[in-house]
Amino acid sequence: MKILLNGSKGRMGQAVAAAAADMQATISAAIDAGDDAATHLGACDVIIDFSSHHATGKLLELAVTRRKPIVIGTTGHAADEKARLLALAAQVPCVWAGNFSVGVNLLFALTRRATAVLGADYDTEVIEMHHRFKKDAPSGTAARLLEIILEERKLTANALKHGRSGITGERQPSEVGVHALRGGDVVGDHTVLFAALGERLELTHKASDRGIFARGAVRAAKWVVSQKPGVYDMQDVLGLK
Ligand code: NAD
């Protein structure tokens, strides 16, 4: 499998190049800011993007025009920008994941389950910490954790509304706090904290090597080349759905 790697000079770009070498994949073009992706597209089977959110739109347009599968790991897109890009991405096979690690994808599933059980009675906070160079805050992973909590609470709220839970009356989910810490060389820590009067549950994932994201992205690239057009996430790649 031949990969066009965008953002190749960055921390993740270098980690993806190393992972590809270990996973029988070839980097057919390693490009970065200022390079023209269009001239390298013909030689690749799939694109992997770990650059800047400014770059995603143009790269996706090229992927759609040239019908190339794409794996997007870049984070930091504004909500309206992301909605527009997702519509574009659906025209080709695309894996879009704010986090490619297996452990974090399990954290997503555990957070969904804990939220379903504990509901809005437990104060819920998302806390993340990353290295001092990370440009976006909160992280894409923290944003996804928040989405999952709110999705699950909406389900709970709907269930309450229709009386399926056996509890009468409507309750509004309380606010969920998201806290982004920056410092040192932290690769990526995420905690979801559920606190009530008398007990506290914390679900924590700590990444210590960005190779986990890189290997996940290469695994996603190998998977996506044989998929139909559409936007997939890492849960699809790992068969967790
Ligand atoms: P980095 O700053 O080390 O590297 C980014 C690279 O992209 C740089 O070499 C930069 O020159 C290049 N770049 C900037 N604009 C570009 C453009 N327009 N076209 C092509 N290249 C461009 O950052 P990083 O730590 O490697 O992270 C890159 C992205 O990946 C960030 O958005 C980060 O949040 C995200 N990330 C995602 C995951 C995941 O699992 N999805 C994991 C880690 C990081």
Side-chain angles (χ1 to χ4, degrees), residues 6-14 31-35 49-56 72-77 96-101 130-131 133-136 139-141 187 210 212-214 217:
N6 194 41
S8 61
K9 292 183 181 161
R11 283 173 288 264
M12 277 308 302
Q14 292 175 47
I31 61 171
D32 205 276
D35 295 330
D49 178 39
F50 278 102
S51 59
S52 151
H53 69 95
H54 298 295
T56 312
I72 298 174
T74 303
T75 66
H77 307 86
W96 190 318
N99 196 306
F100 284 95
S101 101
H130 283 83
H131 54 86
F133 307 107
K134 185 166 176 65
K135 295 194 178 81
D136 52 314
S139 68
T141 304
V187 173
R210 51 179 58 81
I212 56 165
F213 311 125

Side-chain angles (χ1 to χ4, degrees), residues 124-126 145-146 149-150 153 173-179:
T124 306
E125 303 283 309
V126 178
L145 286 165
L146 176 64
I149 294 161
L150 296 180
R153 283 190 175 188
S174 58
E175 295 283 308
V176 177
V178 179
H179 311 273

Side-chain angles (χ1 to χ4, degrees), residues 15-100:
V16 170
D22 287 346
M23 295 172 70
Q24 288 79 49
T26 310
I27 306 294
S28 58
I31 61 171
D32 205 276
D35 295 330
D36 182 9
T39 57
H40 301 281
L41 268 179
C44 78
D45 303 311
V46 60
I47 302 165
I48 297 184
D49 178 39
F50 278 102
S51 59
S52 151
H53 69 95
H54 298 295
T56 312
K58 196 169 168 228
L59 196 64
L60 258 177
E61 280 166 19
L62 275 174
V64 169
T65 312
R66 305 280 288 274
R67 297 177 188 280
K68 292 286 179 184
I70 183 165
V71 172
I72 298 174
T74 303
T75 66
H77 307 86
D80 55 343
E81 182 190 12
K82 186 161 177 183
R84 185 181 68 79
L85 295 177
L86 283 173
L88 198 57
Q91 297 177 50
V92 287
C94 170
V95 176
W96 190 318
N99 196 306
F100 284 95

